[in-house]
Amino acid sequence: MGNRNTAFESWVEKHPYLREVAQLQQVMAGVMKEHPDREPIDIKPASLERAIGRGIPVLREIALDRWVIEEAANLFLSLAEALAVAKLPPKIVQGAEQIRSLLSKNPDLAGPLIGEVITANRVISDHDSPDGEELDKDFTLFLAWIVLARVLEPLKRKMTPSLTGRRWRRGYCPLCGQLPAMAQLVRTEKGRERLLSCSCCNMKWEYRRIGCPYCGNEDQDTLKILEITEEPELRIDTCEKCRCYLKTYTAEGNEKVILADWTTLHLDFIGKNQGFQRSGYQMYGV
Ligand SMILES: [Zn+2]
Ligand SMILES: [Zn+2]
């Protein structure tokens, strides 16, 4: 954990514009490191195999154990409580305070809120905060994904055997179904491979080396790379067919930091400035 923090700190030092979002991450990490890992015992490997074999994201096919939802609901409230009193930008503190206040008056609401995110990837109910203000839906969704990414760690590990041997070479996340936010080139015994990374649940999976994961385009003439001169281990893969970009880490060793998505907001800025759009869910605004 110490090394991990140092790696994040030195990255933020080199990218000082990330300081605010790094402080947010630090408060959330402090709460989440106390959270214990528990195996999702009710989910059988055969059910995972079946969903993955049919190309269906696990969360769309398999109901989570009730206690997983309960744990997520508890962690959701703990995070809102911590952020509501943290020294962070007012928009975050207010968003967290609204959630905290709503859940303290309606403790049974956290479970359904988390459930809505899993089934619809949005907060669909009109849960107003007690003082009449509307809940910040984007922030609520953001926080719910942070919680799910953490609580679902054991399930992600449980899925690994079903994903090996190129069983899931699809352009969407095998766990939650979202489109990838980032990619990483890695060395395997089969040569260089590409991993895709989901910014919602933080799942990683193998994908073919060449081609746009958003539209399937494989025409080299319309797949271009934007190099980042100051950071040669980073690049932006663009597709002129669907006009999307994919942030890519071309090295290994610092993936915890770089694939966190919020650490490469400058690449989102460059990609959009060049007229491309982000297809993966946008957890952090630029
Ligand atoms: Zn995902
Ligand atoms: Zn494309």
Side-chain angles (χ1 to χ4, degrees), residues 49-101:
E49 291 274 327
R50 214 166 28 242
I52 287 164
R54 288 163 56 210
I56 301 173
V58 165
L59 287 185
R60 304 245 169 109
E61 176 83 346
I62 294 169
L64 289 176
D65 306 357
R66 192 175 40 85
W67 60 261
V68 176
I69 302 280
E70 272 168 26
E71 281 201 5
N74 291 337
L75 186 55
F76 188 59
L77 179 58
S78 305
L79 277 177
E81 283 169 345
L83 293 173
V85 294
K87 272 199 187 143
L88 290 167
K91 195 174 171 351
I92 292 172
V93 173
Q94 281 158 16
E97 173 52 26
Q98 283 172 353
I99 296 172
R100 190 207 61 77
S101 160

Side-chain angles (χ1 to χ4, degrees), residues 31-284:
V31 176
M32 289 193 288
K33 78 170 193 279
E34 306 299 330
H35 183 80
D37 268 3
R38 275 174 60 179
E39 288 298 321
I41 39 174
D42 288 354
I43 296 180
K44 303 277 175 291
S47 326
L48 295 174
E49 291 274 327
R50 214 166 28 242
I52 287 164
R54 288 163 56 210
I56 301 173
V58 165
L59 287 185
R60 304 245 169 109
E61 176 83 346
I62 294 169
L64 289 176
D65 306 357
R66 192 175 40 85
W67 60 261
V68 176
I69 302 280
E70 272 168 26
E71 281 201 5
N74 291 337
L75 186 55
F76 188 59
L77 179 58
S78 305
L79 277 177
E81 283 169 345
L83 293 173
V85 294
K87 272 199 187 143
L88 290 167
K91 195 174 171 351
I92 292 172
V93 173
Q94 281 158 16
E97 173 52 26
Q98 283 172 353
I99 296 172
R100 190 207 61 77
S101 160
L102 176 68
L103 295 186
S104 65
K105 299 214 162 72
N106 310 276
D108 295 339
L109 216 53
L113 265 176
I114 296 285
E116 284 170 10
V117 173
I118 293 171
T119 51
N121 186 33
R122 54 198 169 111
V123 181
I124 41 182
S125 309
D126 283 323
H127 303 298
D128 286 347
S129 68
D131 56 8
E133 270 181 82
E134 207 174 280
L135 213 52
D136 181 336
K137 292 200 170 108
D138 287 342
F139 181 72
T140 308
L141 195 54
F142 164 81
L143 208 58
W145 275 121
I146 294 285
V147 165
L148 282 167
R150 175 67 188 86
V151 170
L152 297 176
E153 283 296 336
L155 176 58
K156 286 183 234 174
R157 286 197 296 272
K158 202 167 181 169
M159 283 170 66
T160 309
S162 313
L163 296 173
T164 48
R166 303 186 163 176
R167 301 243 358 254
W168 183 280
R169 310 266 287 175
R170 296 172 192 271
Y172 52 93
C173 173
L175 176 55
C176 77
Q178 284 291 324
L179 298 172
M182 296 201 67
Q184 181 187 13
L185 301 183
V186 292
R187 259 171 237 288
T188 68
E189 57 226 25
K190 291 189 188 113
R192 283 205 114 187
E193 271 278 17
R194 181 163 58 159
L195 296 181
L196 297 180
S197 166
C198 174
S199 71
C200 291
C201 74
N202 275 343
M203 186 78 193
K204 319 264 183 293
W205 68 100
E206 281 180 16
Y207 189 71
R208 60 179 192 267
R209 175 84 195 283
I210 309 287
C212 169
Y214 303 119
C215 73
N217 178 20
E218 288 186 16
D219 171 20
Q220 293 284 349
D221 293 340
T222 52
L223 296 167
K224 305 242 165 79
I225 291 170
L226 300 175
E227 308 276 0
I228 312 295
T229 338
E230 316 79 59
E231 293 174 299
E233 79 280 17
L234 296 178
R235 69 179 208 207
I236 304 171
D237 291 4
T238 66
C239 170
E240 284 170 5
K241 197 173 160 212
C242 70
R243 302 295 302 167
C244 289
Y245 68 87
L246 180 65
K247 302 189 286 183
T248 299
Y249 175 41
T250 60
E252 288 177 66
N254 203 17
E255 48 277 329
K256 280 262 186 298
V257 171
I258 293 175
L259 297 183
D261 192 18
W262 64 267
T263 47
T264 54
L265 292 179
H266 53 307
L267 301 197
D268 289 290
F269 188 76
I270 297 169
K272 287 178 183 175
N273 242 357
Q274 297 288 323
F276 295 95
Q277 57 191 14
R278 177 171 163 131
S279 231
Y281 185 76
Q282 181 105 38
M283 288 278 277
Y284 304 90

